[in-house]
Amino acid sequence: MITSVKGTRDLLPPDTRVWNRVEAVAREVFALYGFDEIRTPVLESTELFVRSVGESTDIVHKEMYTFTDRGDRSVTLRPENTAGVARAYVEHAMAQAGRPWKLYYIGPQFRYERPQKGRYREFRQIGAEVLGAADAAADAELLVMLFDFLLRLGFTGVSVSLNSVGTEATRPAFVDAIRSFFSSNEKTLGDDDRRRLAENPLRVLDSKDPAVRQLVASPGFPKMVDLLPTLDPASDAHYRELKVLLVASNVPFKEDPLLVRGLDYYTRTVFEMTAEGLGAQNALLGGGRYDKLVSDLGGPKTPGIGFAIGEDRLIDVLPEAFRKVTIDDVRPVTLIPLDRNDVADALVLAKELRGAGFAVDVVTAAKGPGYGLKVAERSGAAVAILLGQKEREERTANLKDLAGRTQEVIPRAGLIEALRARL
RNA sequence: GUGGGAGUAGCUCAGUCGGUAGAGCGUCGGAUUGUGGUUCCGAAUGUCGCGGGUUCGAUCCCCGUCUCUCACCCCA
């Protein structure tokens, strides 16, 4: 048996209804905030991710689906979508529009990792990006939209973790402060954290080692937000303004000075949301500002901010009410021709009913009422219509309410009205 | 890339101290050839993940491998 590739999976009905509905809500909400969809290729030049996501990140140095195509080009299945959006922005000179771009995307991403709960090699992200807006208000509005979306899916009582990671102006000073903090108690660090301290010191902040966590959470541990007022007043002002705007907009957030993110391109604002029930991979969404990314890719200096929601994880923790309503949404009318001679009649009637807006399923096998009703019931139909020789000749329909187990013979002329009354 | 757990019927699982397998659910047929949810009767399931080794004989023991799963690393 040929199975799906490791770390990939099939999404089957009726779950696909839920996926489609979630995506439809995203499109509706994002449109209300002035966002348009962008679709970028799944396949990009490997160099794009090396330059944007960052060579020192795990994503680039061990998690990419990279291969050489027949033209000897190194290409990669995108591990995230922000780089592709930024690349398209530069490639199509979108800065020339003279206004910020508000873009969203929905699509598969790929990372070559060992699969576990909430983590797949092929996963989907729903994301949004604002390109060309530097103001804290842009950050705020993006988060307002995010919460609007989550609220419409039925999430309640959620809040986002917020932090500022500064800019190149502050990053080196912060890294120095972290290193000197640990120089005195380096022996409490495990191998992993020692490696982090050397390669990517910010990562030590979200170590899972209890001893290190305790150290990092202690009052003496350096915090980026404490360095901002003196080293980078502009970033400090940005952060303060953002918080004021979020409070004014009723966006629930909690400041987390330990929040850092795994991609190199973030500047100033970073945020993340976690959820219960996702196991160890509990990050539901993440995002932040990336004011250097576009220029790093050779474009004009363009500030940007965005988020990505892990759609697989989102659906994993989706409120049950939303799921149920979505799955129960489609209640087809099932037409049951009793005999081969009744099939044409059924197809003609089906067309008429579909024209009137009803979802109609025809049991084409025409194996009699017992089989037909069984199929109708199993496919979730609310009503079934039996069509035999008698109904054809008398221009009637035998309308059955499957739940109530009642039936009624109705003239064809009044059928649409009768169905409207029942559905 | 590292570590733990697991692969037996469509699904959930039992089992054989080594003698080529069962249950429940589901599916199909019948009671009920123009009436489905219940009930009753009957039937079919399967290279026991794959490859190799040990053995007279392996689903069981050993080795390898693949897949699933959870965790680490890291992230959505």
Side-chain angles (χ1 to χ4, degrees):
Chain A
M1 183 171 52
I2 298 172
T3 57
S4 70
V5 169
K6 183 186 178 88
T8 69
R9 54 186 187 147
D10 301 308
L11 303 175
L12 306 176
D15 288 349
T16 42
R17 293 189 192 178
V18 178
W19 283 76
N20 279 322
R21 188 73 202 116
V22 164
E23 290 167 13
V25 170
R27 292 174 194 283
E28 287 161 20
V29 173
F30 296 173
L32 289 176
Y33 286 78
F35 282 69
D36 274 304
E37 184 177 9
I38 183 169
R39 300 193 189 196
T40 64
V42 166
L43 204 56
E44 295 272 8
S45 293
T46 300
E47 189 191 358
L48 172 65
F49 304 112
V50 174
R51 294 216 347 223
S52 60
V53 175
E55 207 144 9
S56 70
T57 61
D58 273 24
I59 290 179
V60 168
H61 81 247
K62 66 176 216 196
E63 295 174 2
M64 294 209 301
Y65 264 100
T66 296
F67 59 96
T68 304
D69 72 8
R70 289 167 190 265
D72 262 343
R73 290 169 285 257
S74 179
V75 294
T76 295
L77 292 175
R78 63 186 183 200
E80 57 100 49
N81 218 145
T82 300
V85 171
R87 193 221 81 240
Y89 180 88
V90 174
E91 183 169 341
H92 302 288
M94 292 169 76
Q96 295 299 314
R99 50 114 170 169
W101 284 93
K102 298 157 90 171
L103 305 166
Y104 74 85
Y105 59 83
I106 298 173
Q109 319 291 336
F110 301 83
R111 291 183 199 172
Y112 192 88
E113 304 175 271
R114 287 280 287 266
Q116 69 184 71
K117 187 173 176 58
R119 183 164 69 198
Y120 310 99
R121 289 184 171 181
E122 181 194 29
F123 60 104
R124 292 105 192 141
Q125 286 186 331
I126 298 176
E129 315 284 352
V130 181
L131 286 158
D135 324 281
D139 306 32
E141 199 183 22
L142 192 74
L143 286 165
V144 170
M145 179 173 86
L146 183 56
F147 273 86
D148 198 347
F149 173 55
L150 293 175
L151 197 64
R152 286 175 201 236
L153 296 181
F155 286 96
T156 55
V158 292
S159 96
V160 66
S161 297
L162 187 69
N163 194 20
S164 176
V165 294
T167 62
E168 316 81 80
T170 38
R171 201 76 61 87
F174 186 43
V175 168
D176 285 349
I178 293 172
R179 286 217 170 98
S180 67
F181 177 87
F182 281 114
S183 64
S184 51
N185 31 26
E186 193 163 345
K187 52 181 171 294
T188 57
L189 293 176
D191 289 345
D192 279 338
D193 286 313
R194 221 164 289 185
R195 179 180 53 76
R196 284 178 175 132
L197 197 59
E199 289 173 11
N200 196 344
L202 295 189
R203 298 239 54 89
V204 179
L205 302 204
D206 53 13
S207 170
K208 284 182 180 174
D209 184 332
V212 177
R213 290 192 67 84
Q214 202 172 355
L215 272 180
V216 155
S218 68
F221 191 78
K223 293 181 176 58
M224 177 61 96
V225 288
D226 293 336
L227 300 177
L228 289 180
T230 48
L231 291 177
D232 188 353
S235 289
D236 184 55
H238 184 96
Y239 188 50
R240 286 171 188 283
E241 187 185 352
L242 172 59
K243 287 187 284 185
V244 170
L245 292 171
L246 291 178
V247 170
S249 308
N250 279 317
V251 170
F253 67 92
K254 47 179 190 281
E255 289 186 77
D256 180 1
L258 296 180
L259 176 64
V260 289
R261 307 208 23 83
L263 284 59
D264 281 357
Y265 54 61
Y266 287 116
T267 54
R268 295 191 168 170
T269 311
V270 293
F271 55 88
E272 182 174 285
M273 188 183 286
T274 57
E276 302 285 319
L278 286 176
Q281 308 308 316
N282 62 352
L284 182 61
L285 61 90
R289 180 162 279 285
Y290 45 87
D291 291 341
K292 285 269 288 167
L293 177 59
V294 173
S295 56
D296 283 351
L297 291 176
K301 279 191 69 170
T302 306
I305 182 164
F307 65 73
I309 303 169
E311 191 178 3
D312 303 73
R313 294 180 184 179
L314 180 75
I315 284 172
D316 245 15
V317 296
L318 195 65
E320 192 51 39
F322 185 93
R323 182 188 304 275
K324 188 171 175 5
V325 165
T326 302
I327 289 177
D328 293 346
D329 194 37
V330 180
R331 309 275 289 165
V333 173
T334 301
L335 301 191
I336 304 172
L338 297 179
D339 183 271
R340 293 186 59 82
N341 297 323
D342 305 311
V343 170
D345 185 33
L347 291 177
V348 170
L349 179 59
K351 187 179 176 192
E352 188 186 331
L353 296 179
R354 285 166 183 148
F358 296 100
V360 179
D361 194 22
V362 178
V363 182
T364 55
K367 282 161 63 177
Y371 175 78
L373 287 167
K374 202 154 68 177
V375 169
E377 196 205 350
R378 289 174 183 184
S379 61
V383 300
I385 295 174
L386 296 174
L387 298 169
Q389 186 179 2
K390 209 167 88 184
E391 288 79 6
R392 179 157 34 90
E393 288 169 355
E394 295 174 355
R395 304 306 303 156
T396 59
N398 188 339
L399 182 63
K400 281 191 75 81
D401 179 327
L402 289 170
R405 300 180 72 74
T406 58
Q407 68 178 33
E408 193 181 347
V409 175
I410 290 171
R412 293 284 171 96
L415 186 56
I416 287 174
E417 204 179 326
L419 284 172
R420 288 220 168 96
R422 276 159 216 268
L423 291 172

